[in-house]
Amino acid sequence: MMLQTILQKHTNTNDYIYGLANVSGLLSGEYADYKYGIVIGKRLDNTIVDKITGGPTPEYYDHYKNTNKELTELAIDISDKLNINGIQSIATAPSLGGKKQDSKYKKYLSLDISHKMLATRAGLGWIGKSALFISYKFGPRVRLVSILTNTLIEFCNTPVNESQCGDCNICVEKCPARAANGIPWNTTIYRDNFFDANKCREMCRIQGKKHIGFDASICGICVAVCPFGN
Ligand code: B12
């Protein structure tokens, strides 16, 4: 179908994963009325991620910025193509997309769109003990973006509903913020019950200042240490 043609045209390398998700009733706020989503993951460069041992590197920071830019453009491009073909859709931002000062964001460290949720609904992987999305193909070494629509373009993939981390606790042990408590994820456990986002953000600020030189708010240790995808 057209979707595959469009996606393959845009994501014509082996560095991407994508899938269709049924998110009916799962999104909130400005996205609450959307039923379906296309989620796309771009693989991070292993040579850059492997160097995140004691903390983030300037190279990782640049990679993160460039990948965000690429995913922003990709989502807009795909959404435009769908709209031209009569499928109304909306592109979302890979990161905060200007919501940093939003009072709801500041209070809950949470947006109306969770790309990780779309990714589990699209059957591409699960949520790790680190609260990161762990893809079957690249582990947590992916950045994500989503495009939302109310048209059922194709059948949605079978969702993944629980952690596949098993007994592994490497990310829990290596997190400098001690943000994760080791409880394995399933769809009934809210983030705050197994992962302290405030502790993580505080440590991202410290790590950014220490290793990049300003409040870059970035870390990545949990991405680098995960045995999946490396
Ligand atoms: C706010 C935010 C943060 C906050 C809070 C993090 C958090 N875990 O919530 C802070 C500043 C701490 C942060 C830090 C980092 N972040 Co951040 N962040 C976001 C952002 C902008 C919004 C996330 C959000 O709203 N969270 C709210 C909670 C409730 O949702 P969630 O964590 O996304 O997902 C939960 C639910 O979806 C639920 N879930 C999953 N499937 C299902 C299904 C059902 C049915 C239900 C009910 C629930 C459910 O499980 C998840 C975990 O609880 C996203 C981009 C986006 N729009 O998604 C990036 C994002 C999550 N961040 C990302 C990254 C990489 C990081 C950092 C590594 C920073 C860095 N680049 O160095 C750290 C690591 C944090 C970590 N270990 O989770 C990536 C994650 C990629 C991946 N492989 O998982 C994202 C997706 C950005 C991107 N475009 O790729 N981040």
Side-chain angles (χ1 to χ4, degrees):
M1 173 338 182
M2 188 188 69
L3 177 66
Q4 205 170 359
T5 317
I6 290 172
L7 289 177
Q8 276 176 354
K9 206 167 166 214
H10 285 79
T11 60
N12 57 357
T13 73
N14 289 329
D15 292 341
Y16 292 88
I17 49 172
Y18 63 82
L20 287 161
N22 184 335
V23 286
S24 206
L26 291 175
L27 302 182
S28 58
E30 62 178 306
Y31 302 122
D33 293 334
Y34 284 97
K35 294 190 190 125
Y36 308 106
I38 301 159
V39 60
I40 301 169
K42 167 99 199 279
R43 164 196 215 158
L44 297 174
D45 187 323
N46 274 333
T47 55
I48 296 175
V49 176
D50 285 341
K51 287 188 193 131
I52 306 171
T53 46
T57 60
E59 230 186 333
Y60 173 59
Y61 181 67
D62 286 346
H63 189 38
Y64 154 98
K65 287 273 170 205
N66 292 338
T67 310
N68 273 352
K69 188 168 176 285
E70 203 180 305
L71 288 174
T72 302
E73 290 166 1
L74 180 66
I76 292 171
D77 222 15
I78 290 171
S79 173
D80 284 350
K81 291 266 177 346
L82 290 171
N83 291 341
I84 288 166
N85 283 284
I87 296 174
Q88 284 310 309
S89 68
I90 180 174
T92 65
S95 201
L96 285 173
K99 291 274 159 65
K100 206 169 178 174
Q101 297 309 323
D102 194 289
S103 57
K104 191 175 153 200
Y105 172 74
K106 284 208 276 195
K107 191 166 176 200
Y108 301 108
L109 288 185
S110 176
L111 293 186
D112 291 337
I113 175 93
S114 162
H115 301 310
K116 294 190 269 184
M117 178 193 280
L118 269 92
T120 70
R121 294 314 79 200
L124 297 173
W126 70 97
I127 303 296
K129 290 178 185 170
S130 59
L132 287 173
F133 167 69
I134 317 292
S135 64
Y136 288 115
K137 204 161 174 197
F138 306 126
R141 296 171 174 223
V142 281
R143 278 195 81 75
L144 303 164
V145 78
S146 313
I147 297 126
L148 301 174
T149 177
N150 277 322
T151 306
L152 178 57
I153 306 171
E154 282 170 10
F155 284 114
C156 296
N157 306 44
T158 309
V160 176
N161 293 326
E162 56 187 23
S163 167
Q164 295 178 27
C165 295
D167 291 339
C168 181
N169 275 309
I170 294 175
C171 62
V172 177
E173 285 154 12
K174 299 273 182 187
C175 172
R178 287 263 161 215
N181 62 19
I183 294 176
W185 168 82
N186 67 51
T187 54
T188 66
I189 301 177
Y190 187 66
R191 177 196 66 189
D192 297 356
N193 294 324
F194 68 97
F195 179 80
D196 188 329
N198 279 302
K199 275 190 185 170
C200 170
R201 185 174 63 159
E202 223 17 74
M203 185 51 73
C204 285
R205 282 183 175 149
I206 294 169
Q207 293 279 13
K209 277 199 187 118
K210 188 170 161 199
H211 297 280
I212 317 285
F214 62 99
D215 182 5
S217 220
I218 192 171
C219 175
I221 291 176
C222 53
V223 181
V225 300
C226 179
F228 289 96
N230 73 11

